[in-house]
C-alpha cells in the first residue's frame, strides 16, 4: 500500500516510516511542514495518508486543513489523522467532510502496532477508525438524550460501532454471539431514532452523524 506521511516530529516520523515499511507498505513521500503536505498528496496520490493535525509553521491545524483540501481534489482519499490530544472540533470537522475512509487516532495508539495497522487498513479500505477516547468524548458530551437510555451493553456496542468495528469483531471483543450483537445493534438504532441500516459502513455514518449533532 502506498502511503504519504506528514509529521514534523523527526523521531515519530522515522518510526512511522520504519513501521509501515516493515509491514510491507511503501512510503512514497514524507512531509515535515504544513505547506509540504498538499503538494505531496497531489503528486503521489497515495492509497492512504497519515497526517499530524498540528504542523509547522503555525502548529494549529495545518495537517487537518491539508487533508480536507486534498479530499476536495482527490475525492475519497483515505486519511488517517494523528493528534496528541482529543480535540473534538478537529474530529467533527474531519468527519463532517464525509466519514468514508477517515480515521482519527491519538498518537499513543501508534505504539500499539497491531491496533494502528488495523486502523490503517480499515481507513484505506474506505472504513472508519476512531480512537476509543474520541468516541468516549463524543458520547460524554451528550446529555438528556436517548443515549442515556442505552443499557451498559448497548453503550459498549455503540462505542465499538463508532470505532468502525464489524459485528464479528464486536462479538469477539464482548465475548458474545454475533446474533446477540445484531440484537443489541437493533436496540441501539431504535432507541436513537436512527433508520435501520445494513451491517456495513452506512451504520457507522449514521452513528457518527448522531454523535456529532449539535
Amino acid at each position: 500500500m502506498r502511503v504519504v506521511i506528514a509529521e514534523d516530529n523527526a523521531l515519530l516520523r522515522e518510526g512511522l516510516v520504519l513501521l509501515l515499511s516493515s509491514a510491507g507498505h511503501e512510503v512514497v513521500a514524507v512531509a515535515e511542514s504544513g505547506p509540504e503536505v498538499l503538494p505531496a498528496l497531489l503528486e503521489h496520490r497515495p492509497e492512504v495518508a497519515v497526517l499530524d493535525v498540528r504542523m509547522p509553521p503555525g502548529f494549529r491545524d495545518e495537517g487537518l486543513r491539508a487533508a480536507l483540501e486534498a479530499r476536495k481534489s482527490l475525492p475519497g482519499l483515505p486519511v488517517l489523522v494523528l493528534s496528541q490530544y482529543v480535540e473534538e472540533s478537529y474530529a467533527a470537522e474531519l468527519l463532517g467532510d464525509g466519514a468514508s475512509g477517515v480515521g482519527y487516532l491519538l498518537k499513543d495508539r501508534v505504539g500499539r502496532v497491531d491496533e494502528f495497522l488495523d486502523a490503517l487498513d480499515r481507513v484505506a479500505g474506505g472504513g472508519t477508525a476512531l480512537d476509543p477516547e474520541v468516541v468516549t468524548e463524543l458520547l460524554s458530551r451528550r446529555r438528556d438524550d436517548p443515549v442515556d437510555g442505552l443499557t451498559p451493553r448497548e453503550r459498549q456496542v455503540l462505542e465499538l460501532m463508532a470505532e468502525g468495528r464489524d459485528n464479528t469483531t464486536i462479538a469477539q471483543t464482548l465475548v458474545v454471539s454475533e446474533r446477540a450483537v445484531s440484537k443489541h445493534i437493533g436496540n441501539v438504532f431504535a432507541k436513537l431514532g436512527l433508520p435501520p441500516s445494513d451491517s456495513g459502513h452506512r451504520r457507522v455514518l449514521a452513528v457518527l452523524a448522531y454523535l456529532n449533532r449539535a
Side-chain angles (χ1 to χ4, degrees):
M1 186 160 57
R2 300 172 68 254
V3 186
V4 166
I5 296 173
E7 170 59 56
D8 66 288
N9 182 292
L11 185 60
L12 179 56
R13 184 174 63 249
E14 293 306 313
L16 284 169
V17 171
L18 180 60
L19 171 61
L20 294 176
S21 299
S22 298
H25 302 306
E26 179 187 3
V27 178
V28 295
V30 295
E32 301 178 20
S33 68
E36 298 176 18
V37 179
L38 185 57
L41 294 175
L42 295 179
E43 177 184 352
H44 295 280
R45 296 174 178 264
E47 294 172 80
V48 63
V50 180
L51 310 174
D52 186 9
V53 169
R54 298 183 177 187
M55 299 188 69
F59 292 99
R60 292 188 296 272
D61 57 0
E62 289 81 357
L64 177 66
R65 293 292 159 214
L68 295 174
E69 191 63 31
R71 283 172 67 88
K72 292 179 182 177
S73 302
L74 303 172
L77 171 69
V79 174
L80 178 58
V81 171
L82 302 179
S83 180
Q84 191 71 38
Y85 310 102
V86 177
E87 299 175 272
E88 289 181 43
S89 60
Y90 293 157
E93 188 159 5
L94 181 67
L95 296 168
D97 179 52
S100 176
V102 297
Y104 186 98
L105 297 181
L106 297 182
K107 288 186 177 181
D108 289 348
R109 202 68 54 183
V110 176
R112 304 175 188 180
V113 175
D114 291 340
E115 290 184 28
F116 173 72
L117 293 176
D118 178 62
L120 186 72
D121 287 340
R122 289 208 310 278
V123 170
T128 304
L130 282 186
D131 195 286
E133 290 191 34
V134 174
V135 176
T136 299
E137 191 73 24
L138 289 171
L139 283 171
S140 64
R141 79 182 186 187
R142 302 186 60 82
R143 294 290 184 268
D144 302 321
D145 64 24
V147 167
D148 297 329
L150 299 179
T151 66
R153 179 65 84 190
E154 289 166 354
R155 190 182 178 96
Q156 287 179 311
V157 170
L158 173 60
E159 291 176 354
L160 291 168
M161 286 170 61
E163 289 171 27
R165 308 294 180 175
D166 59 23
N167 285 20
T168 300
T169 303
I170 294 174
Q172 292 172 345
T173 301
L174 300 180
V175 195
V176 298
S177 68
E178 289 191 43
R179 183 177 179 180
V181 170
S182 296
K183 182 178 179 181
H184 288 312
I185 290 173
N187 291 341
V188 167
F189 272 81
K191 291 182 179 181
L192 299 187
L194 295 170
S197 178
D198 59 25
S199 60
H201 188 61
R202 280 187 295 173
R203 75 178 189 184
V204 178
L205 298 182
V207 170
L208 293 175
Y210 177 80
L211 293 178
N212 280 293
R213 263 186 352 200

